[in-house]
Amino acid sequence: MLRVFLSSLNLFSSRASSTVHHPSQEHKIDQAPFLAEEIPTAAPHTAADRPLEEWLAAEEVIAYDRLLANIAPGGSNTEDAVYGTVIASPSKEEPNYFFQWTRDAAIIMSTLLRDYSSGFRSTSDDLSKPPVLLADYASLQRQLQHNTNPSGSFTDLASLGEPKFLVSGDPFTGSWGRPQRDGPALRAITLMGYLRAYNASNPSLWKSTSPPGNAPFFRALYQPGSPIKGIIKADLEFVSRYWKDHGFDLWEEVNGLHFFTAMVQLRAMKEGAQLAATFGDHDASKRYETQHRRLQKFVTRFWNPKKQTLISTLGTTRTGFDCGNLLGSLHAHPIDDAINTDAAEVPIPFPPWDPRVLVSTYDLITDQRTRWPINDDRSTHDPLAGVAIGRYPEDVYDGLGTSTGNPWFLCTASIAEIFYRSAHHFLQTDRLEISKTAARFWIAVDPSLPVGSTLTSADPRFEPAIRRLIAVGAGFLGVLRKYAMPDGAMSEQIDGVKGKQRGARDLTWSYGAFLEAVRARRRVVERVG
């Protein structure tokens, strides 16, 4: 089990710096040396109409730098923020996003973890910064978990459902959509990845204590038994206890049971069961595995057989089309997952290449194509041509108040990632299922593809279909190129009428979603050759 869970990511370890709101020394995250080769940076961005590959190379560096600028310590936009804080945006008024959201922070730190593990470097990055940021993030989370806040106290773990904190580390006490139940699951996923990474670069540390895994670094993250100690342990317990209860969705608007939330909870329980067993916490492992199995069945309820599409929230009166559904698929399935050959293993449903996810992606694209004037391109009849993608059809949040919604950078990037990851999976498995469930999707890809059949690389139609998926992904990245500022900046939204940027400036998640899409693109393009 140790080999299964503590699999190598060939990364690093780190230590948090002290700060006025720092957790106690007992829970500090220790740092070990990490060295990596410098990678040459791309030329600075100069024009939005440059060739896509050239723009992507430059924008990747810009996005990484701007993402780091929103993380303390050291981020140029994080004045007065305690170490470990990931601000959503430096915007402090109209709108004020100068806060740390549990969900956004976990997603961004997961992106940072993977980007740095791949050896990526920005113009401003040095060898020590990402390890320290990750350690500071982990240390801050214990404080946020234990603070009594409007969602409750740590006594029954209700405090973990609090979605939003001041940059001082104190709770935000104003009116808000709370509790939100996706944050603890996402944080557990990120910190379990951090634990694996640390162990990969310090393999002797695990066995340096009796019992194994009792070193301070591991104890800060996970301790078996009761009372609940360890950041990851607390989050896993929260998910195990509360996943069946209603909470607000990732857009902080609807109270209910949501696809995105359930998907990340499912992944947290699956990985958590493995982690608990590794630490000898067998009762917890069984409990998490039980909830994992229950969630496996539960998430299937979000497929609407009548509409033949995924819905965002059970019982919703909306169409159900939602960028959050695609994000749920992406964040529940690690990009670097190997093909599972264990017949006893129960895979997490709804991966990006699942026919139900693909047809739901198509439905959202189709809706958004005619919803925004900026998407009205009469020069093409391609049903999968790149367009700007918003959150969901009924959206009324305009970036400051309520009128009409707009496309979002992160949603547009996520569409591209769906296509790239699907193409990679089909190549990896040498199997392209043209399922009847996703018939309207595959007809849009290529009307000549035989619906109801499965192609392999031996079929002459296989490679053109893969290249078509890659080209579609590039079309959506081209939309980001079109609406990014000349200096590479990306805000929260794109005005659906004027094409101008709207909402919070330099949204951290916009940069993170772009980096994820670019990583997925690189992975499949390298495989195709």
Side-chain angles (χ1 to χ4, degrees):
M1 186 59 71
L2 174 63
R3 181 179 60 81
V4 172
F5 185 78
L6 299 178
S7 57
S8 173
L9 292 180
N10 191 26
L11 194 62
F12 52 79
S13 53
S14 53
R15 178 180 61 203
S17 304
S18 59
T19 176
V20 291
H21 286 278
H22 209 287
S24 66
Q25 194 69 23
E26 176 187 357
H27 296 279
K28 290 285 290 295
I29 308 296
D30 294 329
Q31 179 178 352
F34 174 73
L35 296 175
E37 295 181 2
E38 289 288 347
I39 296 177
T41 57
H45 175 77
T46 56
D49 58 353
R50 66 205 300 185
L52 182 63
E53 289 292 345
E54 183 181 328
W55 179 80
L56 289 174
E59 183 65 20
E60 184 175 13
V61 176
I62 293 168
Y64 194 69
D65 283 345
R66 288 178 177 265
L67 182 147
L68 290 176
N70 290 347
I71 305 175
S76 59
N77 296 325
T78 60
E79 182 181 0
D80 299 327
V82 299
Y83 286 14
T85 298
V86 182
I87 61 169
S89 160
S91 178
K92 296 182 179 180
E93 57 183 14
E94 296 187 344
N96 183 3
Y97 277 36
F98 197 64
F99 300 95
Q100 170 162 283
W101 271 265
T102 304
R103 169 185 48 257
D104 298 36
I107 287 172
I108 293 305
M109 295 312 290
S110 183
T111 295
L112 182 64
L113 182 70
R114 287 192 296 273
D115 273 335
Y116 204 69
S117 68
S118 67
F120 182 76
R121 285 291 178 280
S122 71
T123 56
S124 64
D125 186 25
D126 58 47
L127 292 178
S128 63
K129 190 171 186 179
V132 170
L133 293 179
L134 283 154
D136 285 338
Y137 164 77
S139 295
L140 175 62
Q141 298 315 299
R142 181 181 183 278
Q143 175 190 321
L144 301 187
Q145 287 178 334
H146 284 258
N147 280 351
T148 298
N149 54 55
S151 292
S153 71
F154 189 78
T155 304
D156 59 357
L157 301 180
S159 59
L160 277 63
E162 185 64 19
K164 175 179 173 180
F165 295 85
L166 305 178
V167 299
S168 63
D170 296 318
F172 172 78
T173 57
S175 176
W176 208 253
R178 55 169 68 91
Q180 295 177 28
R181 305 195 187 279
D182 55 353
L186 287 161
R187 180 168 55 201
I189 291 167
T190 295
L191 291 178
M192 284 188 283
Y194 177 52
L195 188 153
R196 290 192 296 266
Y198 190 104
N199 183 76
S201 60
N202 299 270
S204 62
L205 183 63
W206 177 261
K207 296 181 179 179
S208 66
T209 59
S210 182
N214 202 36
F217 170 81
F218 295 114
R219 286 205 314 270
L221 294 173
Y222 194 98
Q223 291 189 47
S226 297
I228 296 172
K229 295 181 180 180
I231 308 163
I232 297 172
K233 171 79 170 181
D235 280 338
L236 294 176
E237 287 293 324
F238 176 89
V239 175
S240 178
R241 295 182 189 184
Y242 292 112
W243 71 263
K244 297 181 290 295
D245 293 354
H246 286 204
F248 280 82
D249 64 343
L250 79 162
W251 308 129
E252 309 188 300
E253 296 171 347
V254 178
N255 191 17
L257 296 169
H258 316 289
F259 181 76
F260 175 86
T261 302
M263 288 295 288
V264 296
Q265 289 171 331
L266 171 54
R267 179 180 172 187
M269 287 290 90
K270 181 176 182 178
E271 294 185 7
Q274 297 171 349
L275 175 66
T278 298
F279 276 89
D281 198 4
H282 298 296
D283 287 344
S285 180
K286 293 177 182 177
R287 187 165 61 252
Y288 303 155
E289 178 59 27
T290 296
Q291 302 312 317
H292 160 230
R293 299 281 176 162
R294 290 174 177 171
L295 275 159
Q296 286 273 4
K297 295 179 180 179
F298 175 71
V299 295
T300 62
R301 294 172 59 187
F302 291 91
W303 172 251
N304 187 317
K306 292 183 179 180
K307 294 183 177 180
Q308 287 288 291
T309 196
L310 284 168
I311 58 172
S312 55
T313 302
L314 294 183
T316 182
T317 57
R318 297 175 176 173
T319 59
F321 305 159
D322 199 308
C323 167
N325 296 338
L326 312 186
L327 292 168
S329 172
L330 292 169
H331 288 288
H333 298 87
I335 190 173
D336 48 6
D337 255 1
I339 296 176
N340 177 36
T341 58
D342 184 356
E345 180 76 8
V346 179
I348 294 176
F350 299 111
W353 50 86
D354 186 292
R356 296 166 295 183
V357 175
L358 294 177
V359 76
S360 299
T361 300
Y362 172 77
D363 289 343
L364 182 60
I365 294 171
T366 301
D367 173 271
Q368 299 291 289
R369 182 176 305 284
T370 58
R371 190 163 295 278
W372 315 113
I374 61 171
N375 289 340
D376 184 14
D377 182 2
R378 300 183 182 182
S379 66
T380 179
H381 297 289
D382 181 358
L384 293 177
V387 291
I389 302 294
R391 298 189 299 176
Y392 54 90
E394 301 84 359
D395 195 3
V396 297
Y397 176 57
D398 60 17
L400 182 60
T402 56
S403 58
T404 181
N406 293 294
W408 285 45
F409 279 98
L410 74 89
C411 291
T412 307
S414 297
I415 293 278
E417 187 180 352
I418 289 284
F419 279 93
Y420 290 137
R421 290 183 62 176
S422 297
H424 185 273
H425 175 78
F426 299 142
L427 282 168
Q428 189 178 33
T429 59
D430 193 24
R431 178 182 172 86
L432 179 59
E433 181 187 0
I434 315 298
S435 72
K436 293 181 180 179
T437 299
R440 57 185 181 271
F441 170 85
W442 288 114
I443 291 170
V445 171
D446 183 349
S448 69
L449 290 173
V451 174
S453 64
T454 299
L455 308 182
T456 68
S457 56
D459 191 302
R461 295 167 293 187
F462 181 86
E463 183 178 341
I466 296 298
R467 293 191 179 277
R468 164 71 164 150
L469 294 175
I470 295 172
V472 171
F476 285 92
L477 290 184
V479 173
L480 300 184
R481 174 185 58 178
K482 181 177 181 179
Y483 295 113
M485 298 294 286
D487 64 357
M490 295 182 188
S491 64
E492 177 186 67
Q493 301 181 25
I494 305 161
D495 191 297
V497 176
K498 300 178 180 179
K500 303 291 186 181
Q501 295 197 12
R502 289 185 63 96
R505 67 180 178 89
D506 286 310
L507 191 77
T508 317
W509 198 351
S510 292
Y511 297 123
F514 169 80
L515 290 170
E516 295 285 4
V518 170
R519 180 191 299 111
R521 173 180 171 80
R522 180 181 300 115
R523 191 164 173 252
V524 68
V525 168
E526 288 175 351
R527 191 176 187 100
V528 170

